[in-house]
Amino acid sequence: MEKIVSLAKRRGFVFPGSEIYGGLGSTYDYGPLGVELKNNIKREWWNYFIHQRNDMVGLDGGILLSPKVWEASGHVKNFKDALVECKKCHHRFRPDKLRRPEEVGAPTNASRLRRPEEVGAPTNASRLKDPSKCPDCGGEFTEAKLFSGMFKTVIGPIEKEGVTTYLRPETAQAIFADYKNILSSGSRKIPFGVGQIGKAFRNEVTTGNFIFRTLEFEQMEIEYFISPDDDWQKIFKGWVDYIHGFMDVVGLERKRLFDHEIPDAERAFYSKRTIDMEYEFPFGQDELWAVAYRTDYDLSKHQEYSGVNMEYLDDRTGKKYIPHVIEPTFGVDRTILAILSTAYSEEGDRTVLKLKPNIAPYKAAVFPLLANKPDLVNLAKKIYGDLKKSFYVAWDDRGNIGKRYYSQDEIGTPYCITVDFDSLESDDVTVRDRDTMKQKRVAIKELAPYLEEYCSRS
Ligand code: GAP
């Protein structure tokens, strides 16, 4: 983990947020290479989950939504973390687990949205002889306090008069709020789904493990609308399998993924089935993505709170109903962490990020063999300029070729293109493969199709 965090900072993937002011806990910025990697992952997700399917459309909903949305969804009431503090040593614990927050991790959306009466009820006190006492010093606990997991914000110039709303803690709700508009603006018929990528914000009491759990993060979510008469188990399984396929698209290892069936008592109350897809991260196995069957809970609640009829007339059966929903959800930042930790490798004295070429920030780097030979530099610049029209490519003329290779290996550039003296005569260049380190001559006019073939393929 330390090596990944250090490489991410040193090479411009991920920086600690507001570092010049001493940092702001659990916030991060994506640097010049990080933003490329992130955009490539999001593009592949959109392509795989929206464009390649016939039953999906996209949405870009707001971060700020009416506060009524969060009342209807249950977040205002239930999206809370409970903490108790030891009166003696002042260590804090999550009462549902009676462990320190950093040991159990923060609750997910699903585990937070439990019935209110369940919040604060100890479910795992096995570690303690006496669950009413602090496991560290035996001191008494304070009463459990609830902390909202949502960031509040005020709309309007005068705080007292403004409307208080929240930065969204999940992207999903905009899809439910827009469901009627999406339906009436297209010719969508159930079953169909809506996908969305965007920022979400959670006032996490427990953060940590780099970009695994942060206050501000990005989600890629799908709400897939079905009929209550559809075979939801089959559709659910279909999504689980389809999601597994996305691992190959972005270069994650299937053997490191575990589908964790969430038991009844731990699921959100709206969910009839939830699978957490857990990945083997360097710090252990934890949730990467999830799939939940949210039933008709959200649309029914929005119908109740907004007064807008959410029913759908199914022309297959002539029946009217409130659609049910299967929700595959993905964290962008956790996907990046999983990808970085899968791709990171050390081979002898070189560090290589074996990113799949389709998500690598640069598809190739172009070098003149010698920086002080104008003929080589001019030809290399011409190749660089031509390739840049279709691909994001790097230029490097510093130091020697070996160092340039190592530098590109570390940031995952799949191909290095070197213009040498033979190139001036024979119109070809050396292309070196990051993973095999093998080199071959490729005609200059074939470079673009070569990169197209090897880098665009997912
Ligand atoms: N709409 C359902 C929902 O939000 P969730 O399991 O709470 O469910 C979905 O969150 C995904 O968002 C998680 O699987 C994870 O990848 C990501 N995620 C959740 N909280 C996060 C945080 N604090 N930091 C980074 N990613 C987070």
Side-chain angles (χ1 to χ4, degrees):
M1 196 64 176
E2 259 169 41
K3 287 178 177 175
I4 291 165
V5 175
S6 145
L7 182 142
K9 182 173 178 205
R10 192 163 32 84
R11 299 306 310 268
F13 283 93
V14 183
F15 304 132
S18 314
E19 201 183 12
I20 58 165
Y21 292 103
L24 176 67
S26 293
T27 62
Y28 291 91
D29 295 335
Y30 286 85
L33 295 185
V35 67
E36 297 298 331
L37 175 63
K38 197 182 203 192
N39 285 343
N40 291 343
I41 293 166
K42 290 194 284 184
R43 193 200 53 240
E44 290 293 11
W45 186 91
W46 198 265
N47 182 36
Y48 183 79
F49 287 101
I50 314 276
H51 288 177
Q52 283 187 25
R53 295 180 60 111
N54 300 322
D55 54 355
M56 290 290 303
V57 290
L59 178 77
D60 185 10
I63 286 174
L64 295 176
L65 302 174
S66 163
K68 298 229 166 66
V69 168
W70 306 111
E71 282 163 33
S73 67
H75 282 82
V76 171
K77 197 168 171 199
N78 301 324
F79 199 69
K80 292 183 175 150
D81 289 321
L83 278 188
V84 291
E85 190 174 310
C86 169
K87 290 180 187 164
K88 208 161 134 199
C89 70
H90 300 290
H91 288 165
R92 288 186 179 147
F93 299 87
R94 275 186 45 199
D96 57 338
K97 305 271 184 186
L98 280 172
R99 299 223 197 117
R100 279 166 176 277
E102 52 278 18
E103 286 172 344
V104 288
T108 61
N109 191 41
S111 65
R112 270 200 189 102
L113 286 177
R114 274 194 258 145
R115 291 181 196 288
E117 60 273 20
E118 286 173 9
V119 174
T123 54
N124 179 2
S126 56
R127 202 168 80 102
L128 300 169
K129 287 196 189 87
D130 178 357
S132 67
K133 297 271 162 56
C134 170
D136 290 349
C137 74
E140 299 281 320
F141 287 129
T142 57
E143 286 292 302
K145 274 196 198 142
L146 289 179
F147 295 86
S148 173
M150 290 196 290
F151 286 106
K152 256 190 198 161
T153 188
V154 178
I155 300 172
I158 304 166
E159 207 167 305
K160 274 192 200 145
E161 293 170 13
V163 174
T164 300
T165 189
Y166 307 90
L167 304 185
R168 63 182 178 198
E170 62 171 6
T171 58
Q173 293 303 325
I175 299 180
F176 298 125
D178 278 331
Y179 156 77
K180 279 247 125 166
N181 279 335
I182 295 167
L183 208 56
S184 62
S185 62
S187 52
R188 292 290 132 201
K189 289 207 159 106
I190 277 176
F192 79 98
V194 182
Q196 182 175 210
I197 300 179
K199 291 267 185 176
F201 303 83
R202 292 185 190 177
N203 196 2
E204 302 277 11
V205 286
T206 324
T207 50
N209 282 329
F210 192 36
I211 51 173
F212 181 81
R213 185 173 285 110
T214 51
L215 306 180
E216 175 181 344
F217 55 98
E218 239 174 315
Q219 292 185 318
M220 307 182 280
E221 294 200 291
I222 291 167
E223 307 305 321
Y224 193 74
F225 299 100
I226 60 172
S227 155
D229 296 331
D230 283 336
D231 181 351
W232 69 266
Q233 290 280 19
K234 192 169 157 211
I235 299 172
F236 190 101
K237 162 108 181 32
W239 274 106
V240 170
D241 293 344
Y242 196 70
I243 293 167
H244 288 167
F246 185 61
M247 306 200 68
D248 307 334
V249 174
V250 289
L252 290 173
E253 288 178 344
R254 290 199 188 209
K255 63 174 193 292
R256 287 170 72 168
L257 188 88
F258 306 89
D259 289 343
H260 176 195
E261 189 82 46
I262 303 296
D264 291 358
E266 288 176 31
R267 275 200 309 268
F269 58 85
Y270 57 69
S271 174
K272 268 211 178 138
R273 187 176 178 198
T274 300
I275 284 184
D276 277 357
M277 295 184 167
E278 299 184 345
Y279 199 70
E280 245 175 43
F281 289 98
F283 53 85
Q285 189 178 312
D286 214 327
E287 179 189 340
L288 170 65
W289 307 326
V291 192
Y293 173 35
R294 286 179 88 126
T295 66
D296 60 352
Y297 172 78
D298 298 274
L299 287 183
S300 298
K301 282 287 168 194
H302 287 303
Q303 174 168 292
E304 185 187 326
Y305 279 68
S306 67
V308 173
N309 185 346
M310 294 288 175
E311 280 179 328
Y312 171 85
L313 174 63
D314 197 323
D315 59 13
R316 293 176 295 180
T317 57
K319 267 200 207 165
K320 268 190 178 173
Y321 55 79
I322 294 186
H324 284 224
V325 163
I326 292 186
E327 178 195 64
T329 176
F330 307 71
V332 177
D333 312 78
R334 286 189 194 176
T335 307
I336 291 175
L337 184 56
I339 286 172
L340 286 179
S341 55
T342 307
Y344 183 92
S345 66
E346 290 173 356
E347 293 176 355
D349 56 353
R350 73 178 191 136
T351 300
V352 198
L353 262 195
K354 295 193 167 175
L355 297 171
K356 272 198 78 176
N358 58 323
I359 56 161
Y362 294 119
K363 304 305 172 209
V366 182
F367 317 142
L369 181 65
L370 298 169
N372 58 0
K373 296 285 173 202
D375 287 355
L376 296 183
V377 173
N378 289 341
L379 181 56
K381 282 240 159 96
K382 163 106 183 47
I383 292 171
Y384 171 70
D386 287 347
L387 289 177
K388 231 174 146 48
K389 289 177 196 153
S390 316
F391 307 94
Y392 195 42
V393 287
W395 170 265
D396 196 355
D397 58 6
R398 300 162 305 161
N400 63 41
I401 286 286
K403 279 200 178 133
R404 294 182 208 161
Y405 283 156
Y406 277 30
S407 169
Q408 294 300 326
D409 288 346
E410 207 181 33
I411 58 172
T413 307
Y415 299 102
C416 289
I417 297 166
T418 305
V419 175
D420 55 21
F421 291 104
D422 286 347
S423 308
L424 301 174
E425 304 296 322
S426 53
D427 285 338
D428 59 10
V429 289
T430 301
V431 176
R432 181 251 196 195
D433 182 294
R434 174 195 70 199
D435 298 340
T436 61
M437 293 195 285
K438 289 206 172 114
Q439 303 186 7
K440 64 173 169 180
R441 299 296 288 187
V442 175
I444 293 171
K445 64 176 178 6
E446 291 303 322
L447 279 174
Y450 187 89
L451 292 186
E452 183 64 38
E453 180 175 356
Y454 292 108
C455 296
S456 308
R457 204 171 41 192
S458 58

